[in-house]
């Protein structure tokens, strides 16, 4: 890239992730001359992060230009990279996502990927995505979009459908492969692996140290260590920030992995998101309180973690860490920007449209997570081929939900919202179709002010209300 890049962050007022991401960008020498355009609708939260960013830049003596604005169009103007990191509706809307389904017997400890929580987190973001796309196609049509907002597969598929060149990024592949290497006592830089699937439900299909296949030892060790109804003790307490490399097993990942171990025992391969997440995506582990306790002996509840955050304290703590050590985290976003700017290749795991069948036994309209080569030509997904058929079959139960929710957003057909929720594996394990429709109607009403007008007109007769772009 011949000029210094402009990097725009939409939703920059978040309390942890935007500043961590800014630190990642500044850790690359080639990006220190960039313009960072920080945008959020909440001027107070934005000012907190922008002030911390300027303090970080000054501390390290960098030439970075830091802009802040509540004007989305100006933030997007002439951007080379646009990073999306927000949650529409904040913690209050998130509360509806988890509390309403719980009354119908659907308990989601996370609720941000599929299921009723994932579907409605996506749908209330749709007007914001539409507005971003309308501006971007005029003022930065060639920008590379990087999406960090959940639900990753739905949001990334929709942004691409709107015409934005978007890759979705997560840390679950990095986190899980590091956890497995740590479990086996193998240095991470000696491990190689292949992984593919969908976000939060990708599969590590090969895990090696040199020529040694590590799976036989992994299967034996995990089966012994993570048995149903047997809880681990002495685990680290997790605060929901998974950008840093974990040093030991926690109550989030690595400590109680009965769910993922059971999936591996029966389907052959290890999944890339924590057992708390994974238990939401299949019908086997959350049938009743007793079964849930067998497989999830210690609850990790993301809504409760988000609701309890000390926002200013989190920003201050992150700033002090970055002042002391401006090293990159495990996140891929800054690596993508650096590879495009410098032309030095990088490999990341990204979420991309499956058009052309990157994974040949998943649907064309799915959004899949695969290895991608990144260089001056941009993000280039690598062709994976077929997943083992049993893994593709599990993925399809989730892509059914995702593609129908995206279709609802694209067509304005509210029936597809009902279809998406009804096909969710966990929801259908607990509820009749009549109960699912009633729950979905209740969620439509609760979120009506933030949903696309086409999906709420019949319900409320009123247009969607003002959006609140803020990542919880």
């Amino acid at each position: 890239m011949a000029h210094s890049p402009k990097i725009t962050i939409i939703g920059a007022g978040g309390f942890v992730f935007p500043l961590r991401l800014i630190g990642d960008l500044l850790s690359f020498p080639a990006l220190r001359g960039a313009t960072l355009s920080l945008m959020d609708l909440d001027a107070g939260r934005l000012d907190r992060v922008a002030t911390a960013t300027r303090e970080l830049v000054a501390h390290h003596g960098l030439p970075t230009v830091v802009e802040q604005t509540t004007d989305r169009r100006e933030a997007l103007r002439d951007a080379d990279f646009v990073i999306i990191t927000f949650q529409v509706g904040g913690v209050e809307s998130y509360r509806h996502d988890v509390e309403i389904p719980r009354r119908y017997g659907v308990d989601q400890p996370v609720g941000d990927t599929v299921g009723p929580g994932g579907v409605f987190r996506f749908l209330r973001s749709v007007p914001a995505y539409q507005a971003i796309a309308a501006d971007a196609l005029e003022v930065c049509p060639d920008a590379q979009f990087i999406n960090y907002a959940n639900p990753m597969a739905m949001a990334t598929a929709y942004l691409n459908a709107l015409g934005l060149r978007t890759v979705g990024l997560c840390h679950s592949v990095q986190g899980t492969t590091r956890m497995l290497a740590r479990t086996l006592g193998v240095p991470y830089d000696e491990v190689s692996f292949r992984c593919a699937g969908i976000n939060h439900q990708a599969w590590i299909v090969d895990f090696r140290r040199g020529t040694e296949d590590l799976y036989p030892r992994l299967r034996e060790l995990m089966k012994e260590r993570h048995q149903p109804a047997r809880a681990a003790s002495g685990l680290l307490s997790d605060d929901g920030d998974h950008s840093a490399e974990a040093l030991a097993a926690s109550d989030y990942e690595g400590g109680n992995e009965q769910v993922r171990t059971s999936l591996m025992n029966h389907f052959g391969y290890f999944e890339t998101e924590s057992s708390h997440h994974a238990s939401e995506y299949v019908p086997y582990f959350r049938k009743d309180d007793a079964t849930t306790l067998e497989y999830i002996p210690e609850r990790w509840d993301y809504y409760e973690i988000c609701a309890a955050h000390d926002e200013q304290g989190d920003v201050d703590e992150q700033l002090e860490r970055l002042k002391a050590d401006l090293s990159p985290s495990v996140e891929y976003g800054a690596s993508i920007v650096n590879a495009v700017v410098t032309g030095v290749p990088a490999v990341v795991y990204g979420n991309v449209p499956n058009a052309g069948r990157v994974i040949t036994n998943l649907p064309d309209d799915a959004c899949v997570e695969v290895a991608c080569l990144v260089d001056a030509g941009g993000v280039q997904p690598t062709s994976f081929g077929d997943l083992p058929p049993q893994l593709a079959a599990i993925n399809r139960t989730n892509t059914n939900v995702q593609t129908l929710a995206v279709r609802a957003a694209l067509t304005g057909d509210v029936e597809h919202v009902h279809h998406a929720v009804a096909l969710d594996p966990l929801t259908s394990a607990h509820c009749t179709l009549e109960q699912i429709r009633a729950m979905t109607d209740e969620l439509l009403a609760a979120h009506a002010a933030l949903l696309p007008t086409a999906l709420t007109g019949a319900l409320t007769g009123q247009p969607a209300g003002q959006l609140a772009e803020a990542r919880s």
Side-chain angles (χ1 to χ4, degrees), residues 201 205 218-219 257 304 308 373 392 405 432:
Q201 197 184 61
V205 297
L218 179 65
R219 291 187 179 103
E257 291 289 1
E304 293 178 0
L373 173 67
T432 66

Side-chain angles (χ1 to χ4, degrees), residues 389-468:
Q390 72 277 17
L391 305 184
I394 296 173
N395 283 162
R396 285 193 293 268
T397 68
N398 281 221
T399 63
N400 290 337
V401 178
Q402 294 160 352
T403 56
L404 281 164
V406 172
R407 187 171 294 247
L410 291 170
T411 65
D413 186 346
V414 73
E415 280 302 301
H416 286 322
V417 180
H418 290 281
H419 300 154
V421 179
L423 286 168
D424 173 58
L426 181 62
T427 301
S428 58
H430 287 277
C431 299
T432 66
L433 288 169
E434 289 76 16
Q435 290 168 333
I436 294 170
R437 181 163 288 268
M439 177 181 68
T440 304
D441 280 340
E442 195 172 338
L443 284 160
L444 284 164
H447 292 301
L450 297 174
L451 294 174
T453 307
L455 298 180
T456 61
L459 185 69
T460 67
Q462 297 180 6
Q466 185 177 6
L467 296 173

